[in-house]
Amino acid sequence: MENVNKKQRIVLASGNAHKIKEISDMLPEYEVVGYKQLGYDFEIEENGKTFYENALIKAKAVSD
């Protein structure tokens, strides 16, 4: 039987434990995890020229 109280999961493209906890504290209705917590062991090269470009690079790397 499926647990109907299971939280939706948000996967962050971050390995920063402090950032993951901070976001988790802000969104208690979700299970917030970093991509490395799911067993992925790769580094994401942030070679964009802006914060926005780097955010897109990281989001794409994790969604792929």
Side-chain angles (χ1 to χ4, degrees):
M1 184 171 174
E2 188 175 327
N3 182 354
V4 294
N5 294 324
K6 188 173 181 180
K7 293 181 180 182
Q8 286 186 301
R9 178 182 287 170
I10 295 175
V11 179
L12 299 182
S14 176
N16 181 317
H18 178 73
K19 186 180 296 183
I20 294 165
K21 178 170 181 351
E22 185 175 46
I23 293 172
S24 180
D25 290 346
M26 287 190 292
L27 301 169
E29 66 273 20
Y30 295 95
E31 175 189 10
V32 179
V33 297
Y35 74 101
K36 290 186 177 186
Q37 290 174 274
L38 299 177
Y40 296 102
D41 190 26
F42 60 89
E43 294 299 321
I44 302 170
E45 184 178 348
E46 297 182 53
N47 55 5
K49 293 180 180 166
T50 65
F51 175 80
Y52 178 77
E53 288 177 358
N54 283 332
L56 287 177
I57 289 167
K58 292 172 78 172
K60 180 157 176 34
V62 171
S63 70
D64 287 345

